[in-house]
Amino acid sequence: MKSFRIFLLFCLCLFSGRTAAQETQKEIPVKIKMTFDDKTVIVRMKDNDAVRQLIRMLPASFEFIDFAGKEKITEFPKPVSFETAPRGMIASAGKMFIYAPWGNLGFFYKDHSMSPDENLIELGEVEKGLVQLSSQKGGFAATMEVMKENKEE
């Protein structure tokens, strides 16, 4: 009988552990807001080490340039270590990324490739404002910040 009670206690502990892990997986995803020239872009961020480093830098200002007629790129305000971040991403419109060889931050506003590129680290995806981003000509200054309570403003 004592063995049965120990077994029940063990099962209860296991069940409680799974519940806590499941609750952790249900965390609200982080969104960032990028503003420039009275325009707003909302990005739903991925969960990886590079994203967490970027979020710790925000709010911050960035100077973007147009690159290859398909992406807007900028430098990070501080160095970012992306060695532990997962690599490999399809370069499609709306993706926010790091280009590992150069270490820069960018957004694809047009599709670039349909096959995964191991030089890209996905940071997030534009939920709102891709048209505004793609229509922005030349270089521009933008501010990025973590959205309060992840609600659209």
Side-chain angles (χ1 to χ4, degrees):
M1 188 64 152
K2 187 175 182 179
S3 297
F4 181 73
R5 287 183 190 162
I6 292 171
F7 175 75
L8 284 178
L9 183 60
F10 175 76
C11 289
L12 181 60
C13 289
L14 279 177
F15 179 76
S16 297
R18 280 193 211 131
T19 303
Q22 289 168 349
E23 288 174 11
T24 302
Q25 291 175 8
K26 293 180 185 178
E27 290 178 18
I28 298 171
V30 172
K31 293 182 185 180
I32 63 168
K33 177 172 77 169
M34 183 170 80
T35 54
F36 57 95
D37 297 339
D38 296 325
K39 298 172 186 165
T40 300
V41 175
I42 306 297
V43 184
R44 179 179 299 274
M45 304 305 288
K46 294 289 184 180
D47 183 14
N48 65 47
D49 188 48
V51 168
R52 287 187 287 277
Q53 291 177 67
L54 172 61
I55 287 170
R56 285 192 296 270
M57 293 179 201
L58 301 181
S61 296
F62 298 85
E63 293 290 329
F64 283 87
I65 61 169
D66 194 84
F67 186 77
K70 295 183 180 186
E71 55 193 274
K72 307 292 186 184
I73 61 171
T74 189
E75 299 295 322
F76 283 96
K78 298 179 193 173
V80 175
S81 172
F82 45 82
E83 293 176 12
T84 60
R87 290 188 184 211
M89 179 187 108
I90 295 175
S92 58
K95 298 288 185 169
M96 182 181 190
F97 64 90
I98 294 173
Y99 181 64
W102 295 351
N104 64 327
L105 168 70
F107 290 90
F108 286 106
Y109 62 88
K110 289 184 180 175
D111 290 341
H112 187 67
S113 173
M114 294 310 294
S115 58
D117 183 339
E118 294 300 314
N119 289 313
L120 296 173
I121 299 167
E122 187 173 358
L123 298 177
E125 186 156 4
V126 174
E127 284 190 343
K128 177 182 173 185
L130 184 59
V131 171
Q132 289 83 349
L133 185 62
S134 65
S135 65
Q136 187 69 25
K137 302 298 179 200
F140 62 97
T143 303
M144 281 192 226
E145 62 186 310
V146 176
M147 292 183 65
K148 295 178 180 117
E149 299 180 23
N150 294 310
K151 293 180 183 175
E152 289 188 26
E153 297 175 349

